[in-house]
Amino acid sequence: MGSPGDPPEGNPEGVPGGGDDEYRSVVFDESFVRAARIQEYSARERLDGTARAVRNRRFWSRGGAPRQALILVILIAMAFGTAIYLGIRNPYHQPATPVAGQLRITLIPLAPTGAVPAADRDQPFAGHRAADYRTGAAGITFPAAHRTSHFTEDQVMQALIIAQEYLVASTIDPGALTGGDVRTVRNMLTPGQQDQFDRSLEKPADDGRYAATGWLVRFDPARIALADDQVRVRGSMTVSEAADDTLEVVTDHTLVYAVRDAIGVASTPSLFTVRREMRLRFDPDDLRDRHVELVQASVEAGPLSCATDQAGYFRPLLAGQRAQPLTGTDPYDRDHQITSVCGVLAPDVAVSPQSLPTATAVSPGAASASASSSASR
């Protein structure tokens, strides 16, 4: 019996066996011959005039290893194609931007009937009815939270907290007030309203939809500066269930700002008052993501001149300035927006703080009542 390394048919004739034969390394077994890439033509093929003595064997006629490689390449190609197909038809695409209604804005500038009174340089709120208002975020309080039919007590509390944070960012933050960074306000909005917000800042218009001063309180930094960073605030918040999947928070606040001319640091301060009523809604996704959907913003602010555009920035009349006379509204002129209205600041709001009787009590809605009975632009 031959050794394990001998060819299956035994050693060729005349070649001695054994592992020490110097020619043993050049003896080809049958498997090696079958794997050869060339094959000799038969005698008949050579007689037919074939120029070459051998022909190349086809790739797939070789041994098992190349065939396995080919199968592996096919499997990889099939897997890659399947991945592309599933990627195109992936049922788990990123969710689309949620649909949200547009904010409706009512902006009413309040024009004074006389010259704007000056405020005290050191204590601008002294003697004014806002003197006992709370300062900053402390003035934006909310009621106790109670569960509703479809929302837990924690969810109701979350809605109130988010509403408070939005009011602080949009009415009290000094950076936003003076024309600075408003990303905090934008990031709190539901994604479906961010485009409307961006357009309101880029191309503000007093058209009921794109007034930047409907989204937030901000002053023209080229003309107005804060004489005191402490904003005086008083108001209320209520919460109710608007639908099975929606909470609605209504806020109504009066905010008083001490302002001065941005050019002169020593300029005389005066007071500027804003009444802001907001309607905000929250669904479970908004509560989870800390977003808010603004439904309605009703804003009254003065002293302002109705002849000056207030949609982009508030441009308060400063101490000693007067509003231009109201010219009335021409109902035949369809070039002006119907939503663009103007009111008259109540006389007892425009007088000097030092001249107000200490016992005088004027309802917070005095300016609103005056505005509703005043002429429009």
Side-chain angles (χ1 to χ4, degrees):
M1 178 180 295
S3 64
D6 291 338
E9 295 82 6
N11 290 326
E13 186 176 346
V15 178
D20 297 333
D21 190 345
E22 60 179 340
Y23 299 105
R24 184 177 182 83
S25 61
V26 299
V27 177
F28 306 131
D29 60 13
E30 184 179 357
S31 62
F32 180 86
V33 173
R34 284 199 304 267
R37 297 190 61 181
I38 60 176
Q39 183 177 9
E40 185 179 359
Y41 286 103
S42 65
R44 175 171 296 179
E45 289 172 328
R46 290 197 296 272
L47 289 174
D48 289 342
T50 303
R52 299 175 60 188
V54 296
R55 64 169 175 263
N56 289 332
R57 302 185 66 181
R58 295 180 181 177
F59 175 76
W60 50 82
S61 66
R62 293 186 291 151
R67 198 170 300 163
Q68 292 175 358
L70 177 63
I71 294 173
L72 180 61
V73 170
I74 294 174
L75 290 176
I76 293 174
M78 291 177 62
F80 187 70
T82 302
I84 294 177
Y85 175 79
L86 293 178
I88 295 174
R89 299 181 59 86
N90 181 15
Y92 303 104
H93 285 303
Q94 292 294 328
T97 300
V99 177
Q102 287 200 328
L103 171 64
R104 302 187 303 274
I105 301 171
T106 302
L107 177 60
I108 305 177
L110 302 177
T113 55
V116 175
D120 185 80
R121 292 180 184 271
D122 299 324
Q123 298 180 346
F125 301 102
H128 194 271
R129 72 181 63 177
D132 60 348
Y133 283 12
R134 292 185 177 183
T135 301
I140 303 178
T141 59
F142 44 79
H146 299 285
R147 65 170 295 117
T148 65
S149 299
H150 300 90
F151 290 87
T152 66
E153 180 178 327
D154 288 342
Q155 287 177 311
V156 173
M157 176 61 72
Q158 180 79 343
L160 291 169
I161 291 174
I162 296 173
Q164 182 194 49
E165 291 176 349
Y166 180 82
L167 293 177
V168 170
S170 62
T171 63
I172 294 175
D173 177 66
L177 289 176
T178 54
D181 191 355
V182 296
R183 284 178 295 180
T184 300
V185 178
R186 184 186 190 276
N187 292 339
M188 292 192 68
L189 297 174
T190 186
Q193 290 190 319
Q194 290 180 355
D195 286 344
Q196 185 188 4
F197 176 82
D198 293 341
R199 179 175 169 181
S200 298
L201 269 64
E202 293 169 2
K203 297 181 179 179
D206 187 7
D207 59 358
R209 292 185 300 168
Y210 297 109
T213 46
W215 299 89
L216 71 166
V217 177
R218 65 174 189 164
F219 301 106
D220 183 356
R223 299 178 52 188
I224 305 298
L226 294 176
D228 192 325
D229 289 341
Q230 303 300 314
V231 182
R232 300 303 174 96
V233 187
R234 175 174 290 181
S236 63
M237 297 174 64
T238 60
V239 60
S240 62
E241 190 171 311
D244 292 352
D245 61 346
T246 306
L247 282 174
E248 183 172 270
V249 176
V250 178
T251 69
D252 187 357
H253 290 85
T254 299
L255 306 104
V256 185
Y257 304 85
V259 296
R260 61 173 178 81
D261 192 331
I263 299 176
V265 177
S267 59
T268 303
S270 59
L271 299 182
F272 181 75
T273 304
V274 178
R275 182 181 175 189
R276 198 166 183 247
E277 182 179 282
M278 308 289 293
R279 192 173 299 272
L280 311 91
R281 287 184 181 167
F282 304 86
D283 61 23
D285 291 339
D286 292 327
L287 297 176
R288 180 196 64 214
D289 300 332
R290 303 188 69 80
H291 287 154
V292 57
E293 178 184 351
L294 302 188
V295 180
Q296 176 70 42
S298 300
V299 182
E300 298 171 342
L304 294 169
S305 172
C306 293
T308 303
D309 182 14
Q310 309 293 338
Y313 293 100
F314 285 126
R315 298 174 174 87
L317 294 172
L318 300 176
Q321 294 180 335
R322 296 175 178 268
Q324 296 182 11
L326 297 178
T327 58
T329 299
D330 181 1
Y332 295 95
D333 178 13
R334 289 188 296 274
D335 290 335
H336 80 280
Q337 298 285 342
I338 293 179
T339 56
S340 179
V341 298
C342 182
V344 176
L345 192 65
D348 54 357
V349 175
V351 298
S352 173
Q354 288 77 8
S355 64
L356 282 175
T358 57
T360 299
V362 181
S363 67
S368 176
S370 175
S372 62
S373 62
S374 301
S376 299
R377 264 200 203 106

